[in-house]
Amino acid sequence: VTIRSERSARWLDVVVHDNGRGLPEGFSVENSDRLGLQIVRTLVSAELDGSLHMQDAPEGGTDVVLRVPIGRRFRAPH
């Protein structure tokens, strides 16, 4: 497993890569019924205004990309 981050003026991308078998054919992070993955997606979206994307890595394995905006003001709890 390797972790790298890339920052631009607007985004922070954190990429987690593993060199395993890759994703199952037809896998979709948006349609996954895995509870843990659903919780992580919800937290990333609701708490960080970010996104989570999973894809087969070009060199084999899987890349998970977490993208969050930089410089955004957090919403105050109601």
Side-chain angles (χ1 to χ4, degrees):
V1 174
T2 58
I3 301 172
R4 75 174 191 276
S5 62
E6 300 171 3
R7 181 180 176 178
S8 70
R10 296 188 58 203
W11 302 103
L12 172 64
D13 291 334
V14 178
V15 180
V16 179
H17 170 78
D18 77 50
N19 60 355
R21 291 185 274 172
L23 296 169
E25 188 169 325
F27 177 82
S28 165
V29 70
E30 292 82 16
N31 297 323
S32 174
D33 63 352
R34 302 289 185 158
L35 180 59
L37 191 51
Q38 289 175 357
I39 291 170
V40 169
R41 270 193 37 232
T42 299
L43 288 172
V44 167
S45 175
E47 298 297 321
L48 300 175
D49 270 348
S51 64
L52 184 72
H53 181 73
M54 299 175 88
Q55 62 194 26
D56 287 322
E59 66 276 8
T62 304
D63 284 339
V64 178
V65 181
L66 168 67
R67 172 172 269 196
V68 294
I70 294 176
R72 154 187 170 281
R73 293 183 186 241
F74 289 96
R75 292 172 279 201
H78 299 281

